[in-house]
Amino acid sequence: MTTFLMVDVESVTSNIPRSNFLETDLDLIADMILESRGILKPLVLKKTGFEKYEVIEGHFEYYAAVRAREKNPSEGEMVNALIVSPEEEKAVVKQAAALRNLEFPEQPVKISTETTNSESRLAKIELRLEKQVNGLEKQVNALRSELAQERQRVDNKLEYIASQIPKQIAPLDVFNTLSPFELVLRLISAGISDKKAAYIAESVESERKNQKFASLSDVVLRVKIKSGKKQIKGISSDKMVAIIDIWSRLSFS
């Protein structure tokens, strides 16, 4: 059963590419469709889903209607069409083909041998170019893959290097937060002997358990080490200045 309906242009598709038609022709007919508020020859459609249709006949008119909607969405939204049932589709297609042949009878065309040879050569050239393009695309994709892998390797190396660089820490935080072992290493890097660095770290650990150091001067005042039977300053003011200077020139200071 064939039904006449007004359907939304956006609900219709065509299996014929729009590029088969000249845009200037589509534009001209689109203006006429908008002027007359409809197409003169209804589209012949088949239903492909819920409110979804495909063109059986009238592909040019369909694309002209699409162009009309592009130019004026409100005026070109709907298009008149004949909806063909599945059992009538073959008969309608046959009738449309017969009408086209009667309206535009095919003229015999003489194809010269020269034309045939030229077309054959062109086809071979196109095939060869297509193979070359495909080959180049494969090479480009392979290079992109290698580049991505190399970039990942470089990123991994940079992350590893960054992880090996000691984090910057303020001098006061060195005395307040580092473990005794880490503090010994820092003090040795500043030129203090292993033994003295161990004594200083031990005193620092003991003092900060009671109260953290308020300043570097506080460190100088509170940190003591044994010298014989006496308790002396573990770090003098001058030595603290020297330590800070050395740490400032090292990457972890």
Side-chain angles (χ1 to χ4, degrees), residues 139-158:
Q139 292 178 14
V140 169
N141 290 334
L143 288 173
R144 286 176 177 170
S145 178
E146 290 179 8
L147 181 60
Q149 293 176 4
E150 182 61 26
R151 184 181 292 115
Q152 185 61 49
R153 284 195 292 268
V154 171
D155 289 344
N156 291 340
K157 287 182 180 179
L158 290 175

Side-chain angles (χ1 to χ4, degrees), residues 94-107:
K94 184 177 180 181
Q95 182 185 153
L99 290 172
R100 278 198 304 272
N101 289 334
L102 290 172
E103 188 176 0
F104 304 104
E106 295 183 0
Q107 298 295 328

Side-chain angles (χ1 to χ4, degrees), residues 68-79:
R69 181 183 175 87
E70 291 171 352
K71 300 181 83 168
N72 191 329
S74 60
E75 293 293 334
E77 182 178 7
M78 307 299 290
V79 63

Side-chain angles (χ1 to χ4, degrees), residues 101-253:
N101 289 334
L102 290 172
E103 188 176 0
F104 304 104
E106 295 183 0
Q107 298 295 328
V109 179
K110 293 182 180 180
I111 302 176
S112 66
T113 304
E114 182 179 353
T115 301
T116 303
N117 291 338
S118 297
E119 290 178 350
S120 178
R121 286 196 298 271
L122 285 172
K124 289 180 180 179
I125 292 172
E126 288 177 353
L127 181 60
R128 187 163 62 250
L129 288 174
E130 184 178 354
K131 289 181 179 179
Q132 291 176 353
V133 169
N134 290 338
L136 288 173
E137 286 181 351
K138 289 181 180 178
Q139 292 178 14
V140 169
N141 290 334
L143 288 173
R144 286 176 177 170
S145 178
E146 290 179 8
L147 181 60
Q149 293 176 4
E150 182 61 26
R151 184 181 292 115
Q152 185 61 49
R153 284 195 292 268
V154 171
D155 289 344
N156 291 340
K157 287 182 180 179
L158 290 175
E159 288 179 5
Y160 174 76
I161 292 171
S163 68
Q164 300 304 305
I165 299 174
K167 295 180 180 179
Q168 292 186 352
I169 182 170
L172 182 60
D173 290 336
V174 170
F175 292 100
N176 275 326
T177 62
L178 292 189
S179 68
F181 176 75
E182 291 174 317
L183 181 56
V184 168
L185 295 180
R186 293 292 178 104
L187 292 170
I188 291 173
S189 72
I192 296 176
S193 67
D194 297 4
K195 188 175 181 180
K196 186 174 182 180
Y199 286 147
I200 292 174
E202 183 181 353
S203 177
V204 166
E205 177 70 5
S206 176
E207 286 293 324
R208 70 187 182 189
K209 282 182 179 178
N210 299 322
Q211 183 179 358
K212 288 192 177 295
F213 300 104
S215 64
L216 293 176
S217 298
D218 192 25
V219 176
V220 172
L221 290 173
R222 291 166 54 190
V223 173
K224 308 289 185 179
I225 63 174
K226 290 182 180 180
S227 176
K229 295 183 179 180
K230 296 181 179 180
Q231 291 279 344
I232 63 172
K233 286 185 178 180
I235 304 174
S236 66
S237 299
D238 291 340
K239 189 59 180 178
M240 180 63 80
V241 172
I243 290 172
I244 301 307
D245 180 58
I246 293 172
W247 283 353
S248 68
R249 288 184 275 113
L250 295 177
S251 60
F252 55 71
S253 62

Side-chain angles (χ1 to χ4, degrees), residues 4-16:
F4 182 83
L5 291 175
M6 295 292 291
V7 300
D8 192 329
V9 175
E10 285 194 337
S11 67
V12 182
T13 59
S14 170
N15 59 5
I16 302 296

